[in-house]
Amino acid sequence: MADQAEDRLQVLVLHGRQSNANLASFQLTGFKSALGKDVDFHFLEGKTIWRYEPGVDLHDADPMSVSLSKGSSFKVWFTYSSDEQRGRPDIFRQQDPNVNVFYKDAEAAADELLERICKGSRIHAVVALFEGSIVVHLAVAKLMKEGLEVPWP
């Protein structure tokens, strides 16, 4: 007889920018409820602690997000800079095709995801929120470039 834990769906969640596992868990409350109790959620967090930076971030962490984080630091998966010289808010820089954006540690984040998937406990599905979806895309692109299959269905 198979172990009951083996029959449960295993879902890995990647949070978005300025977030963490506690916030992502809250954001997925309805999703988790819809899937039912026979699902285990695992959370992978970015390594870089987020700090509010005027001109880059639209706002500092609001009191509700701070409360929902339960004392955990806010994280990002990677950092970036640009060759923007006009001092416009980041959201405009990111969308301007004439601005070059340089990402730092994005590939390392994708490698961390692949390591977790390939060497950790089995995962059936990956759910990514906001910036976490970029990490998933980078990981899939890396696998495709290497001629490998995506290790989750």
Side-chain angles (χ1 to χ4, degrees), residues 80-85 90 93-94 99-102:
Y80 53 87
S81 61
S82 74
D83 60 5
E84 164 74 33
Q85 299 298 316
D90 188 62
R93 290 181 249 172
Q94 291 281 339
V99 172
N100 293 304
V101 178
F102 309 98

Side-chain angles (χ1 to χ4, degrees), residues 16 61 66 69 72 77 80 102-103 106-107 120 122 126 135 139 142 148 153:
V66 171
S69 290
S72 293
W77 288 101
Y80 53 87
F102 309 98
Y103 294 91
E107 285 96 13
R122 75 191 163 101
V126 176
V135 175
K142 181 176 183 169
L148 300 171

Side-chain angles (χ1 to χ4, degrees), residues 21-50:
N22 291 332
L23 277 174
S25 181
F26 173 77
Q27 290 170 316
L28 293 174
T29 299
F31 180 70
K32 294 188 311 186
S33 178
L35 289 179
K37 296 182 188 238
D38 292 329
V39 180
D40 295 321
F41 287 87
H42 309 270
F43 294 85
L44 187 63
E45 289 191 327
K47 299 280 186 222
T48 303
I49 294 176
W50 172 85

Side-chain angles (χ1 to χ4, degrees), residues 10-12 40 42 116-117 120-126 151-153:
Q10 303 298 310
V11 177
L12 182 64
D40 295 321
H42 309 270
R116 169 59 184 85
I117 296 283
S121 59
R122 75 191 163 101
I123 295 296
H124 297 110
V126 176
W152 63 88

Side-chain angles (χ1 to χ4, degrees), residues 14-17 27 128-135:
L14 282 72
H15 62 77
R17 179 175 171 78
Q27 290 170 316
L129 304 171
F130 308 106
E131 188 178 81
S133 66
I134 296 171
V135 175

